[in-house]
Amino acid sequence: MLRISNLTKFYTDRPILLGVNFVLNPGERAGLVGPNGSGKTTLLRIIAGLELPDEGSVWRDPHTRQGYLRQGLLGDETHSVAEVLLPGGAVLAEHLEMQDAAAVLSANPHDPEMLDRYAAIATNFENLGGYEALDRLQQIMRGLDLDDVEGTRPISTLSGGQKTRLGLAALLMDRPDILLLDEPTNHLDIDGLRWLEGFLKEYAGAVLIASHDRAFLDAVVGSILELDPATHAVTAYSGTYSDYAVARQAERERQWAQYQRQEQEHARVEADIQRTRDQARLVEGRSRDEYDHGDTRGAKFGARARAAKVARKAKVREHKLERLLTDEERIEKPRAGWGLKLDFAPVTGGAREVLRLQGVHKSFAGRTVLQDVDLLVRHGERLVITGPNGGGKSTLLRLIAGELAPDAGVARLGTGVIPAYYSQEQEGLDPTKTPLQTIRAQRPMSETEARTLLHGYLFSGDAVFTPIGRLSYGERARLELARLILSQANLLLLDEPTNHLDIPARERFEAALSNFRGTIIAVLHDRYAIGRLATRVLELRDGALHEMDALLVPA
């Protein structure tokens, strides 16, 4: 169905893809993984025909249609929701005409001419498959939590998350034979994730998904394509993400063991050569003495032969080492890679009772978001809050952080509790400032100290001088993590902190949080992270908090 052959792409003189090869078969669901910046989006754009490779080819069955969901916003934001979902074809035109006829008919329900016109439009709409399309659209919109978005609403009025989900809905409505999905889970809550997983499991076509959501990949894919940022090539693994992670770790351990054995052999040969050289020098000295004092020609000849034999032995072993060091099958030292260096400072101070909410209410424009919420959080808990998008999770965190006041009830932090708030929307970052300025404003330090710290968050060279408004979402997320760690807080309030982080960064962050000895309250939809971190899980739904069994959330 889809064959990628020797695909190569450079940006200026920097390689992005080098000799990429793989095949996507009919009905196959493959996950594309690799760190941010490794070239996953570039590869998807080339497959989608939006970029050209420098070398290689993309072949697909000429009878197949493909659809591409890119990260970020949709195209023309002046379009309405309906125009995106039923784009400009006969079904949309007929549907709009049927709506107009229904409106006229509601005012004149007994007009025979209007009844005939409506019946004709409805028949034509049915013949076009319009009712089936509307049923499918209703299921998709409900599954993606968009069923309350009106079709006449302009795209520009939607939130970033709604735009992403609308793009996904439009793609699924089109039902292509090949789906190319670039981070489709970024703005989905757990309900939406489970719906999408179920949809893709039943999907008849082939799917290629670039994603950092490990639980999602485990649930959906049957193979993993790893794009290595060092080699810029793709390696295929069969099985789920967890299968891939186990296989990849086993490969690293095997390569490290082979490398260590190789280096031990090199050290043994070098030591052997040194011993032989020492022996050669000793024999040569003795032989010279025997030659000088030998009383017969035979003795002189024997001394010289013994010295030459030992010298040849040393030279042979030197050649053996040279062959070992230049062997094409020589095992390279496994790369440790450049990853986030996240370590929280030791926690000091703070009360045993970190947070107490009593009878908290909060409404916006007459809509109740939090209703009679009670909550007690004790020191050392790692509390995860889940629930539907728009259900009030961010509001609850902002209220705990002191950015919002409750309409009624009490929200109280314990004595000595120092909170730090990580915002999902990253609005705490000034887009005109640079990472260097941001870090030095967080805590006084020299430029050298700040640049060293930022290097640990993957900002190297002139990247520290780039205005934040020009950084990617992932880069901004890493900068927010740096600020969070510098805060020296003993209560972390985290609103979707793993969004926009790649898998290595997520795992490093999860490890740091596991070692944090303060208290954590986090809004999370990353089920892998929930399984690793949470000591307690609450669901916020319909304005109320409900205790959940953490085991119900898959790790």
Side-chain angles (χ1 to χ4, degrees):
M1 178 173 279
L2 177 68
R3 184 182 300 114
I4 308 302
S5 302
N6 198 36
L7 214 61
T8 297
K9 180 72 175 180
F10 284 81
Y11 287 149
T12 61
D13 59 347
R14 185 168 67 94
I16 303 298
L17 306 170
L18 290 176
V20 170
N21 296 281
F22 66 87
V23 173
L24 190 67
N25 295 308
E28 184 178 359
R29 293 181 292 273
L32 179 62
V33 302
N36 285 336
S38 59
K40 300 187 300 297
T41 294
T42 299
L43 177 56
L44 289 179
R45 285 178 57 82
I46 290 174
I47 296 172
L50 300 178
E51 288 191 40
L52 293 175
D54 295 323
E55 295 178 19
S57 63
V58 176
W59 179 91
R60 71 183 61 83
D61 189 309
H63 301 294
T64 62
R65 294 180 305 114
Q66 70 179 17
Y68 171 51
L69 176 73
R70 65 186 179 91
Q71 291 190 64
L73 305 181
L74 298 164
D76 188 347
E77 296 202 0
T78 63
H79 287 161
S80 70
V81 169
E83 288 174 313
V84 171
L85 294 171
L86 298 169
V91 171
L92 175 61
E94 208 68 25
H95 183 246
L96 294 175
E97 191 173 351
M98 191 166 66
Q99 286 181 317
D100 291 340
V104 173
L105 192 59
S106 65
N108 302 283
H110 303 296
D111 183 337
E113 184 177 339
M114 204 63 224
L115 283 169
D116 290 343
R117 181 169 179 266
Y118 181 83
I121 295 171
T123 299
N124 196 36
F125 185 71
E126 182 177 6
N127 291 338
L128 290 170
Y131 289 110
E132 179 189 355
L134 287 182
D135 287 344
R136 190 167 72 254
L137 177 58
Q138 188 177 33
Q139 292 174 5
I140 291 171
M141 296 290 276
R142 187 185 303 117
L144 295 173
D145 195 26
L146 292 170
D147 49 334
D148 60 346
V149 177
E150 296 180 358
T152 57
R153 187 171 168 182
I155 296 171
S156 58
T157 65
L158 302 179
S159 69
Q162 286 174 319
K163 289 172 184 174
T164 298
R165 284 179 279 139
L166 182 63
L168 182 56
L171 186 63
L172 299 181
M173 275 297 296
D174 194 41
R175 293 196 292 192
D177 303 297
I178 303 173
L179 283 175
L180 306 173
L181 306 179
D182 196 354
E183 294 295 345
T185 67
N186 265 356
H187 296 283
L188 297 182
D189 57 26
I190 288 179
D191 290 343
L193 285 168
R194 287 174 174 157
W195 178 87
L196 182 59
E197 287 169 2
F199 182 95
L200 292 177
K201 286 177 185 177
E202 300 298 323
Y203 195 74
V207 187
L208 179 59
I209 310 167
S211 179
H212 299 307
D213 189 320
R214 295 154 290 180
F216 176 75
L217 291 174
D218 268 350
V220 172
V221 306
S223 61
I224 293 289
L225 301 173
E226 180 194 58
L227 183 50
D228 189 321
T231 65
H232 310 288
V234 162
T235 303
Y237 295 81
S238 61
T240 66
Y241 174 81
S242 291
D243 295 331
Y244 151 78
V246 170
R248 192 71 182 90
Q249 182 61 28
E251 276 184 15
R252 290 191 185 99
E253 291 173 357
R254 185 165 56 252
Q255 185 182 3
W256 184 253
Q258 290 172 341
Y259 174 77
Q260 288 180 312
R261 286 196 297 270
Q262 170 189 270
E263 294 307 294
Q264 289 168 358
E265 175 65 10
H266 290 174
R268 186 191 67 77
V269 173
E270 284 181 332
D272 192 29
I273 290 170
Q274 188 59 49
R275 283 194 301 272
T276 307
R277 285 173 178 162
D278 293 342
Q279 181 185 7
R281 283 194 293 270
L282 180 63
V283 170
E284 185 180 3
R286 289 175 177 171
S287 299
R288 186 178 296 113
D289 185 62
E290 290 178 11
Y291 185 85
D292 291 340
H293 298 89
D295 55 0
T296 66
R297 180 174 295 183
K300 291 179 181 290
F301 178 79
R304 184 173 292 176
R306 283 193 297 275
K309 181 179 179 181
V310 175
R312 282 197 303 274
K313 185 178 178 182
K315 186 61 66 177
V316 166
R317 292 183 180 181
E318 285 178 19
H319 288 322
K320 178 181 178 182
L321 180 61
E322 287 175 5
R323 288 196 302 274
L324 285 173
L325 294 176
T326 59
D327 191 342
E328 290 183 0
E329 296 182 3
R330 182 170 181 263
I331 299 163
E332 296 296 330
K333 184 176 182 179
R335 297 183 305 274
W338 181 28
L340 284 179
K341 295 177 174 58
L342 300 176
D343 289 299
F344 288 95
V347 170
T348 58
R352 295 291 305 167
E353 188 176 293
V354 172
L355 168 71
R356 183 179 287 274
L357 303 181
Q358 292 177 297
V360 168
H361 287 255
K362 188 66 183 178
S363 299
F364 293 100
R367 175 176 170 264
T368 299
V369 177
L370 302 174
Q371 183 173 359
D372 198 26
V373 171
D374 295 326
L375 177 63
L376 174 63
V377 180
R378 299 187 185 279
H379 175 76
E381 283 192 293
R382 296 200 295 264
L383 173 64
V384 167
I385 301 173
T386 71
N389 286 333
K393 300 185 299 297
S394 295
T395 297
L396 180 60
L397 277 194
R398 292 181 64 198
L399 193 146
I400 295 170
E403 293 190 0
L404 293 174
D407 299 332
V410 176
R412 184 175 62 248
L413 292 177
T415 303
V417 173
I418 304 171
Y421 175 46
Y422 180 106
S423 168
Q424 177 183 174
E425 300 299 328
Q426 304 172 334
E427 67 265 17
L429 296 173
D430 184 340
T432 66
K433 295 288 195 296
T434 67
L436 188 64
Q437 292 170 323
T438 301
I439 289 302
R440 297 184 73 183
Q442 183 75 22
R443 185 193 296 175
M445 63 181 76
S446 69
E447 179 175 323
T448 300
E449 290 172 327
R451 294 188 70 164
T452 299
L453 184 144
L454 285 167
H455 189 269
Y457 293 84
L458 312 189
F459 291 94
S460 63
D462 291 340
V464 301
F465 303 115
T466 303
I468 290 170
R470 288 167 47 195
L471 297 179
S472 69
Y473 287 115
E475 289 168 327
R476 293 180 210 174
R478 297 199 303 271
L479 186 57
E480 280 280 53
L481 291 181
R483 293 179 65 209
L484 183 73
I485 287 181
L486 287 176
S487 69
Q488 294 185 306
N490 51 31
L491 170 61
L492 303 182
L493 304 171
L494 311 176
D495 194 356
E496 289 291 354
T498 61
N499 267 5
H500 310 298
L501 294 180
D502 57 29
I503 290 176
R506 290 184 186 207
E507 294 185 340
R508 187 67 189 87
F509 185 43
E510 290 160 10
L513 289 177
S514 296
N515 293 324
F516 179 68
R517 292 297 170 253
T519 306
I520 300 170
I521 304 175
V523 171
L524 277 176
H525 293 138
D526 184 330
R527 292 158 293 171
Y528 227 87
I530 294 172
R532 293 184 67 181
L533 291 174
T535 60
R536 183 181 175 195
V537 180
L538 297 177
E539 182 185 50
L540 180 57
R541 190 180 289 271
D542 300 324
L545 284 173
H546 307 277
E547 292 276 355
M548 294 180 65
D549 184 346
L551 296 178
L552 294 177
V553 184

